[in-house]
Every structure is written in structure tokens, then in C-alpha cells.
Amino acid sequence: MHTADWSKIKEIFHQALDLPESERDALLSELEEPVRREVGELIAAHQNASNFISESAPVALGIGVQTLVGTSIGGYEILADIGAGGMGTVFLAKKDGLDKRVALKIIKRGMDTDAVLRRFILEREILSRLEHPNIARFLDGGTTEDGLPYFVMEYIEGEPITRYCGLLDLDINERLKLFRQVCSAVSYAHRNLIVHRDLKPSNILITKDGTPKLLDFGIAKLLAGEGNEETATATQGRMFTPEYASPEQLNGSPITTSSDVYSLGVVLYEMVSGRRPFQAAGRNSGSAGGRASIEEPARPSSVVADAWPVVRRTSANARSATGEIKPGSSIRGRHSLRGDLDNIVLKSLRAEPERRYQSVQEFAADIDRLLDGLPVTATPDRAFYRLSKFVRRNRFGTAIAALIVLLSGFSVWQAVVATRERSRAQARFEQVRKLARAMLFDYEDKIKDLPGTTEVRRQIVTDALEYLDNLAAQGENPPELQREIALAYQKVAQIQSSRGGANIGDASAAFENLQKAVKMQEALVSLNTAEVLNDKSTLAGLYLDLSDRYSVNGDLENQEAFARLALKLREELASADPAEPALRSKIASAKWAVAFAVRMRGDYDAANELFLETAEIYEKLAADDDNGRTTHLRNAALTYKTYGAGLEAKDDIATALEYYRKALAIDEKNAAADSLNVAGQLDLSFTTSSIANALKKQGSFSEALRFIERSLEIQLKITTDDAANLFARAAFVRSLTAKAAILAELGKTAEAEADFKRSVELAEKISGADPQDADKKSLLSRTYGAIGEFYSRPVNSQTNPARPQNLRLSETYLVKGIAILEEMQSRKPLKRSSLDDLERLRKELLEVRSKLGN
């Protein structure tokens, strides 16, 4: 028989030994005749040999632990013997009077030496420390009447992790997610200063619901704090499983958490390829240790298609009886493993502990990056390292002189190749960088105000984030690239969610990306480079965007804090040139943000004073700066509107209308100049709706209706052209609700009811599209409140005698509106306007229930 065939036979033989007899027969039935005969003979010989002095004298005399079945220990009835280890036996048991099954481990009779007792008690102590969903739980412990220690654990029914993966035919991602949970359990043990030292598939069981459970801390080691640990450890000799042991375990070197990293790497290798990286010949630990210390394991992708090749393929989805990977399973050959996964597995299996992952957390983080499609930290070994390993394996056949020449020539060649490849890579990077910058800034700026472009902008964001996250993950980037990345994250956040313009409606993602940008920009400012003034200016802008995000989230304290930080930075920067229009404009925008934050917390007088100061700055800028005149006027109009809203809150409707009409004159001119500019059209719609609401409060209902219908006409066109524009759709809902309320005042109750119902339907859809956005939640609450108040008011029988007052519907909608605000309040303090809404709706609900007699 050929050596290669013999190697395969030995491999299958060792697999078969680990299986129950029924499954072993199933495995043999799939083998070709010569191989089946050889494996069968080996198994028979093994079974005959295993009976030679297989029992200790106490067991042979009938005083071993086997006699415990049917007895009771510490209130636990012993049901069956389910396994034995080096120093203990595990029984299936149950608590007297209860049906719940547990696992009870007791030290073997005849093994109760002082050293073994210390180790057994240490295992019990280790287990009692561990509380983790993926570690079998310690339940109880004690000592039998004749002095044998025992402990009780959660009984786990499951399959070894490799077998589970094969039985369920899991794909690569499913296997990696399962392995990630195992990493969580091992990492938890490490944080509790415990090294497992015997991680292997049979100690990682997967339950029926797919939960991994880590078992058997029998040879675990405490890293600190136990005076007798080393003595107890020494008694274990080399009690581990050679195929999964690290080189330092096999060679008798000191053991650290890195040893568990290696063993996890072996398990993962087997999970994704169907075989172990090193097959110990005859289970010889010394042989495996020598190979693991010197040889580099094959890449998993290079062996997966050849795993267990002698097993016949009985069907397209056939699995081996061991549940391991076979051709035709969900692991579709080499392509699904090649690249990052190969590199991750091989990094965990490096012979030198310092070259592996330095912790299980780091190992797991690379798995997470792979699952998320992000760059991983694991990279292939460099050519020079592989060469040195080759020389080490062949040291006696390599002449010293030849080695010197080889290394010298290789170094020169490597430097030339590296320089050439670096130049090419840099050129390609600059091309991609230029294209990404143009796509995100130039192209996006050109389409953002065009109707119907929201889906295109969403795709731009998706592509840009992949590019940015890849760049940021590369670690140390030069300052100029960091500036570019920070600005790009800011731009992406503005596209995702912006109070002042069209966006794609993703507030939570916008907040996350803004925080990334702020963190990077703060680091740049701390470098104090020659560009520090520009860096501070950019940081101030980011603080303003972050202030706006905190406003959306209802965090009023941070909203004002970041607005004031931005204003302080901009005033410092402007002190060098107070007359510079750009600097004055930036101070005005920061002052506006502070004013808005102050008003949000309810200080209308202070806010209105700041808004007036801001409006004066913009008016002077519009007069002095011809180039920026349009922008300054637009900002002035926005300030007039916000100032007017503050006046409305103080019931000064007449003066508020004066400022609204000043804003209207500016917005009408800008909208007429560019009918395709979505931002300019929305500006005009907001001004007309502000006027409509003020006129309604004044009692001028017919005039108010004309203005609100003008708003709706503009907003309907924008949302028709671009249905994905959530910002415009939210504005349409507010205007439609306002129109319904005006119609109700005019006695047109049927039309009002129809518009209220439509506004509720639209608000529910908008809130559902971005449920984390506090502004959209508030919109839905206000819409529920408005229709609830509509149904609660008495009916004017002369205008519409057919529609009765509906207090039950009123109660339903008021409760919905209140529930949203209360849920928001339970998470964060509400804005002043939302608090006012909540108080008003509660009062209305009390009146409705009083009328209903509740």
C-alpha cells in the first residue's frame, strides 16, 4: 500500500475511534473495499489491545465509581455513567424529587492523591467563578460520606462543534458566527484569569437551539492569585489533546492565554476545512509538537476540497458520518476560504506566541471585520520569514556561504520589487482617492438640490462609507489624508440626515459618522501642525453639525454645549481679521445655533436677542459682500423665521408676521431665480406655512388656507419628483395637518377629517422609515394629537350636521400621541416644545375621559 494511502487510513481510523459504534459502522460502509478492510482491522486490534490492564484494582474488585449508579450523592440521584477523564468520572444525575438533569463529576476511587485532589478542587473553584451564557454553569459541590470531592454542573445535550457544522451543512458565515460565540466564552475566562488549555471540538458542544457551550476546565490554569496552582498544575504532566495543543504545551514551555488562541485556531481550521492543520502520527504528541514548531500549516483553502477524499460521494448534499466537511457541502471549495479567512486562521496558528493574535478578543475582532466586509489585521507571512523557516527546517543541508549570497540577493530583489509595487499602489490609490472625493463632494453637490435624486445620494453614501471605513481602518494615516477622511464623514452625515436640507433620512447613522469625524478632527487639532487654524475651523463646523444632531436626539444639554464650543472657536479665529466676510458669516451661523439651543430649553427672551444679533450680521454681510449676497440673504430669511417663531410663542402674532413677510420676500426671489433648486423651493414652502399658522392664530382662517395650500403645492411637487426625500415628506405632513386644522375652523369638517387621516397615514410611514429619529417621532405624536383634538371638539351642526363628535376616536389618538412622547421622555429629556405638547395632550385626554365618564 502506498504511503499516501496509509496516511489516509490512519486519519480515518482516528476519526472512527471518536465515534459511537453505530456511527462508526456508517462511516465504514461508505469506504472503498481496501480502505474499509484496513480500517476495520485497525479498529479490531485497538479494541483487543485496550482491554489489557484496562481497569484499576479497585474497579476490578467492584469498589469503583461504576457502583454509584442508582445511589444518591448530596441529594442527587445517580442515573448513568456518561464519561470519564484522567482524574474523574461524570454521571448523569437529577436532584432528588426533581426531573431536571444535571452532570455530576466525582473524583475516581484510587486517584485521590493529594496532588489530584488539589487539582480537582481547583477545577471546582474555577467553574464556580464563571457565569457566561456559553459556558456550562456550575450548580453545586461537596464531598461524599467517604471523603471523595464532587461538583454538579449544567447538563449539556449537544454535538461537538465540528460535527454540528457538518450535520446542519452550515455555510462559512454561519460557522464563523458560531465560532465568534465560542471566542466570547474563552475571552470571558481569560478576563477571569483562567486559561482552559484543552480547547477542542468535544469540549465545545452546540445545543439543539444552536447555542455553543464550553465544557471541561479539568486542566485549566489560574494565571494569578492561587498559591497552590503551580503544584496542582505540575501533577497534570502533559494531560491535553495533542492534535489541538499549542507548540508551547507540546514542548513543555510556559503556558499563557496565547495557548488557547492557538487551540481555537486549530478548531477554526477544522471547522472551515474539514481537517486539522497537523495530524499527529499515532497520536504522538512529540511528533505533532515538532511539526507545529517548525512547519507552516497549509492554508485551509488549499485542503478543503481534499478533506476526507476517500469517502464516496453518495449524493450532492452527502455528509460523512462524522459530520465533517465533504465535497458537495456548503463549503464550496477553495474560493470561499481564500484570502482573509486563510490569513486569520494561519495567524492564530503561528508557532511563536508573539506572532499570533495577542488575545482572543483580537482574534474575534478580525472575525467580526471579515463578517462585516472590512479589512482584517491578519496578513500573509512575508517572503523573508518563510525563507528563514525553510532554512531552519533544512539547516544541515544549507551551506553558510550560499545562505549569505541568497539572503543578500533576495534583499536587493525584494527592495526593488517593493519599491515598484509601492509606486504602482500609490498611483492607483491616488486615482481612487480623486474619484471618491469628486463623487462625494463635486457630484453630490451638483445633484443634491435636483428633484428625484435621493436614491442616487443613498448609493453615494453606501459606496463612500465603504471607502472611508477601509481608509480609517488602516491605522496611522498622514494628516492630510486624515483631514480628507474627517470632512468626508461629515459630508456623509449631512447627506444622511440634515435639518436644513434634503437628506436620505438616517439619523442614527448620521450621528455615528459625525462622531467619527469629530474624533479625527480633534486629534488633528492636537497635532498643532502648520494647518492648525484650518483644522480648528473645520472642527467648529463639525461641532455645529453635532449640536444639530443632539437637538434631533433630544439631548438639549449637549446641543447647547457644542454650539457654544463652535462659537468660541470661531470668535477666536475671527479675532485676527474681524472684517473678513467669511469669518463673520461663520460667527453668525454659530450664534444662530446657540440661539436655537437656548430657545429649545425654553429661554425665549435670550434666544430672541441672539436671533436679532444674528439677523443684523447677515443683513450687513448681504450689503457688504456681493459674492455671497444670495447666501447671506437666505440665512437672514431663516433667522427672520426662527425669530418670528419665538415671537409667536410669546403671542406677539402681529410682529411675528412682519418678520415672516420679510423672509417671504427673500425666499420668493430665490425660488423664482431657480425653480429646480429643491432647497430654495422648500425655504419658500416653510415661510408660507409659518405665515399660515400665524394667520390661523390671528383668526384669519381664509387667508391662512391660501398660504398653507401654497406650501402644500410646493411640497407635493418635490415629493412626487422624489418619493425618497423624507425631509420633504415630513414637511408635507406638517402642512397637511395644518390645513386640516384650518378647514375644521372654517366648518369644513368632512374635508378636514379626510386630510387628518391622510396626514396620520403618511406620518406613520415616515416614522417607520427611520424609527430612531426623534424629530420624526415628534411629528407622528403631533399628528396623532391634532386628529385627537379634532375629534374631541363639538360639531357645528349648521355647517355639517352629518358628522357627530367622536370622543372614543379622540381618546384613541390622544393616547397614541402621549405614549410616543412618554417613551421618548423615558430615554432622554424632551425638548421644550415636546414637553408643551405632552402637557397639552394629557390635559385634552382628561377632558375627553371626563365627558366619556371614565
Side-chain angles (χ1 to χ4, degrees):
M1 182 168 291
H2 294 299
T3 302
D5 292 335
W6 179 240
S7 176
K8 293 170 185 174
I9 287 169
K10 287 194 296 181
E11 193 170 309
I12 296 172
F13 165 64
H14 286 303
Q15 294 175 46
L17 290 182
D18 293 332
L19 294 174
E21 192 167 340
S22 60
E23 295 184 14
R24 186 184 301 165
D25 292 341
L27 171 63
L28 293 176
S29 68
E30 294 187 356
L31 302 177
E32 297 172 354
E33 175 54 34
V35 176
R36 180 169 65 249
R37 185 177 61 255
E38 293 287 347
V39 173
E41 290 175 359
L42 285 172
I43 292 173
H46 174 81
Q47 288 173 334
N48 290 334
S50 65
N51 293 325
F52 180 68
I53 315 181
S54 59
E55 294 182 328
S56 66
V59 171
L61 293 171
I63 57 174
V65 290
Q66 288 85 345
T67 61
L68 294 176
V69 175
T71 65
S72 181
I73 295 177
Y76 293 92
E77 180 185 352
I78 307 299
L79 303 176
D81 179 351
I82 58 175
M87 55 184 177
T89 300
V90 181
F91 293 96
L92 179 65
K94 68 174 184 176
K95 187 72 173 175
D96 292 345
L98 300 175
D99 289 331
K100 185 176 181 180
R101 305 298 175 93
V102 297
L104 185 147
K105 184 173 182 179
I106 185 169
I107 200 164
K108 289 180 180 178
R109 179 75 66 186
M111 290 291 294
D112 46 350
T113 64
D114 287 345
V116 173
L117 284 169
R118 283 198 300 271
R119 165 50 60 180
F120 192 88
I121 292 169
L122 179 62
E123 180 185 3
R124 186 167 70 184
E125 180 181 342
I126 285 172
L127 287 168
S128 68
R129 292 184 180 189
L130 301 177
E131 284 286 340
H132 189 278
N134 299 118
I135 297 177
R137 287 185 298 117
F138 174 86
L139 301 175
D140 196 1
T143 305
T144 65
E145 293 179 359
D146 53 351
L148 291 179
Y150 71 87
F151 59 82
V152 181
M153 293 180 58
E154 175 185 12
Y155 175 59
I156 306 298
E157 288 188 272
E159 296 286 350
I161 189 167
T162 48
R163 178 173 168 77
Y164 179 87
C165 291
L167 290 174
L168 270 69
D169 202 15
L170 302 184
D171 62 28
I172 281 291
N173 280 0
E174 290 169 329
R175 293 170 196 246
L176 291 177
K177 289 174 182 176
L178 199 63
F179 181 76
R180 181 66 182 78
Q181 295 181 64
V182 177
C183 288
S184 173
V186 179
S187 177
Y188 170 81
H190 289 180
R191 290 197 302 274
N192 284 274
L193 303 180
I194 296 165
V195 186
H196 190 283
R197 297 201 294 188
D198 197 21
L199 294 168
K200 56 185 177 181
S202 60
N203 282 340
I204 305 168
L205 298 187
I206 312 301
T207 63
K208 291 180 181 179
D209 65 358
T211 301
K213 290 284 188 177
L214 186 58
L215 312 175
D216 197 354
F217 284 78
I219 65 168
K221 173 184 178 180
L222 287 175
L223 291 173
E226 301 298 329
N228 64 349
E229 213 289 323
E230 289 305 321
T231 305
T233 302
T235 67
Q236 296 307 298
R238 296 163 73 79
M239 291 176 61
F240 48 73
T241 308
E243 295 92 329
Y244 299 92
S246 65
E248 53 268 33
Q249 281 179 285
L250 294 164
N251 297 329
S253 300
I255 303 303
T256 67
T257 56
S258 186
S259 183
D260 280 352
V261 170
Y262 185 95
S263 298
L264 283 171
V266 180
V267 173
L268 181 58
Y269 192 112
E270 190 171 358
M271 286 175 66
V272 301
S273 75
R275 61 181 299 168
R276 294 182 290 276
F278 300 109
Q279 305 293 340
R283 304 207 170 208
N284 184 311
S285 65
S287 171
R291 294 178 61 193
S293 299
I294 297 174
E295 294 183 21
E296 294 295 323
R299 289 176 291 110
S301 64
S302 70
V303 301
V304 63
D306 301 322
W308 287 271
V310 295
V311 180
R312 279 203 298 271
R313 305 180 189 187
T314 57
S315 68
N317 293 318
R319 303 183 187 93
S320 70
T322 62
E324 309 294 355
I325 299 166
K326 291 181 54 181
S329 77
S330 287
I331 309 301
R332 306 291 179 189
R334 295 177 170 87
H335 71 277
S336 60
L337 308 182
R338 188 177 293 129
D340 284 345
L341 184 52
D342 272 343
N343 294 336
I344 288 172
V345 175
L346 293 181
K347 181 173 180 178
S348 69
L349 293 175
R350 285 173 178 161
E352 306 89 343
E354 67 274 9
R355 298 184 65 247
R356 293 175 209 149
Y357 291 104
Q358 293 306 294
S359 66
V360 176
Q361 297 100 306
E362 188 179 321
F363 190 0
D366 246 6
I367 297 290
D368 287 339
R369 281 188 281 268
L370 178 65
L371 290 170
D372 292 339
L374 299 175
V376 302
T377 64
T379 56
D381 282 328
R382 297 185 181 275
F384 183 84
Y385 175 80
R386 291 197 298 271
L387 178 63
S388 68
K389 296 289 281 186
F390 171 81
V391 172
R392 182 182 174 192
R393 292 195 303 271
N394 301 275
R395 61 171 64 89
F396 298 112
T398 305
I400 298 300
L403 176 60
I404 294 172
V405 172
L406 179 61
L407 292 179
S408 299
F410 179 77
S411 297
V412 173
W413 170 79
Q414 186 185 41
V416 171
V417 170
T419 301
R420 183 168 63 242
E421 290 303 317
R422 188 160 49 249
S423 298
R424 289 177 180 173
Q426 185 63 28
R428 286 194 295 269
F429 170 69
E430 289 299 334
Q431 291 170 350
V432 173
R433 180 178 172 182
K434 181 178 180 181
L435 178 60
R437 189 165 53 234
M439 178 184 72
L440 188 57
F441 289 92
D442 299 341
Y443 302 162
E444 207 282 329
D445 282 346
K446 285 181 171 62
I447 68 169
K448 69 177 182 179
D449 290 328
L450 296 177
T453 59
T454 300
E455 287 303 325
V456 177
R457 299 177 80 208
R458 183 176 282 114
Q459 187 59 52
I460 287 175
V461 164
T462 300
D463 294 341
L465 277 175
E466 181 179 0
Y467 165 76
L468 290 172
D469 288 341
N470 285 339
L471 278 182
Q474 291 177 10
E476 291 295 328
N477 287 309
E480 60 271 17
L481 184 55
Q482 290 185 52
R483 292 186 184 96
E484 191 171 311
I485 296 171
L487 285 172
Y489 273 128
Q490 180 186 27
K491 181 69 173 179
V492 165
Q494 290 170 346
I495 299 170
Q496 289 172 321
S497 182
S498 172
R499 191 192 299 275
N503 60 79
I504 63 175
D506 194 347
S508 57
F511 185 62
E512 180 182 338
N513 287 316
L514 263 180
Q515 288 178 312
K516 291 179 186 177
V518 168
K519 183 178 179 180
M520 295 184 76
Q521 198 63 35
E522 286 177 334
L524 282 166
V525 170
S526 68
L527 293 176
N528 199 29
T529 67
E531 295 293 319
V532 67
L533 294 181
N534 288 332
D535 288 338
K536 286 184 176 182
S537 179
T538 302
L539 182 59
L542 284 166
Y543 282 159
L544 284 182
D545 284 355
L546 197 56
S547 170
D548 187 63
R549 286 295 92 209
Y550 277 119
S551 168
V552 171
N553 294 343
D555 188 340
L556 304 186
E557 183 178 350
N558 273 317
Q559 177 193 0
E560 184 173 348
F562 278 97
R564 291 192 181 278
L565 279 175
L567 179 59
K568 181 181 178 182
L569 268 177
R570 288 185 168 179
E571 286 176 338
E572 289 176 1
L573 292 169
S575 61
D577 190 1
E580 168 59 36
L583 295 175
R584 290 162 60 200
S585 177
K586 288 181 177 180
I587 287 176
S589 64
K591 186 165 286 194
W592 189 97
V594 172
F596 186 70
V598 169
R599 193 177 79 182
M600 291 291 283
R601 63 174 168 80
D603 192 346
Y604 289 97
D605 290 337
N608 284 346
E609 185 177 342
L610 286 168
F611 278 128
L612 275 182
E613 292 174 9
T614 305
E616 289 176 9
I617 296 173
Y618 282 130
E619 287 169 354
K620 290 178 181 178
L621 282 168
D624 300 339
D625 183 16
D626 291 336
N627 293 330
R629 179 176 174 80
T630 301
T631 300
H632 299 319
L633 285 174
R634 184 191 178 207
N635 288 331
L638 174 63
T639 309
Y640 294 150
K641 281 180 276 191
T642 49
Y643 178 64
L647 293 170
E648 250 193 272
K650 295 175 67 64
D651 292 326
D652 189 353
I653 307 301
T655 311
L657 278 167
E658 289 180 19
Y659 280 93
Y660 289 152
R661 293 186 189 279
K662 289 178 72 173
L664 180 64
I666 297 171
D667 290 338
E668 283 181 328
K669 185 176 180 180
N670 287 341
D674 188 356
S675 60
L676 293 179
N677 186 306
V678 172
Q681 297 297 321
L682 282 173
D683 284 346
L684 178 58
S685 75
F686 295 148
T687 306
T688 52
S689 63
S690 294
I691 292 173
N693 286 326
L695 289 169
K696 174 178 172 287
K697 289 181 180 179
Q698 206 178 46
S700 304
F701 302 123
S702 297
E703 189 179 3
L705 184 61
R706 287 197 299 273
F707 274 98
I708 203 65
E709 286 178 337
R710 188 177 177 187
S711 297
L712 284 166
E713 181 183 357
I714 297 169
Q715 292 160 0
L716 179 61
K717 184 179 185 310
I718 293 171
T719 54
T720 301
D721 292 340
D722 188 359
N725 190 334
L726 291 178
F727 183 74
R729 285 170 61 190
F732 181 84
V733 170
R734 288 192 294 270
S735 297
L736 187 63
T737 305
K739 179 193 173 188
I742 294 169
L743 288 171
E745 293 291 350
L746 289 169
K748 300 179 180 182
T749 52
E751 295 176 53
E753 185 176 24
D755 282 345
F756 272 125
K757 287 182 177 180
R758 188 182 175 201
S759 68
V760 165
E761 179 184 353
L762 292 173
E764 288 173 338
K765 288 181 180 179
I766 291 169
S767 182
D770 190 5
Q772 301 304 316
D773 190 327
D775 275 357
K776 293 180 176 61
K777 285 185 176 181
S778 296
L779 172 69
L780 180 58
S781 173
R782 288 195 182 104
T783 310
Y784 283 147
I787 192 171
E789 291 171 332
F790 166 71
Y791 279 125
S792 72
R793 69 179 60 235
V795 174
N796 184 336
S797 58
Q798 294 181 349
T799 57
N800 191 353
R803 194 191 72 79
Q805 183 180 26
N806 195 329
L807 294 177
R808 286 298 179 192
L809 269 180
S810 174
E811 181 185 35
T812 298
Y813 282 114
L814 289 172
V815 167
K816 285 184 176 183
I818 290 169
I820 292 172
L821 292 176
E822 287 179 339
E823 188 271 336
M824 290 170 64
Q825 189 179 42
S826 70
R827 297 175 182 273
K828 291 180 181 177
L830 288 176
K831 305 174 188 177
R832 180 65 193 178
S833 57
S834 295
L835 280 172
D836 291 343
D837 288 341
L838 180 58
E839 184 180 350
R840 189 185 72 257
L841 294 181
R842 283 172 171 169
K843 182 178 179 181
E844 185 76 20
L845 181 62
L846 285 174
E847 293 179 1
V848 167
R849 285 178 169 171
S850 174
K851 293 175 183 176
L852 286 169
N854 293 347

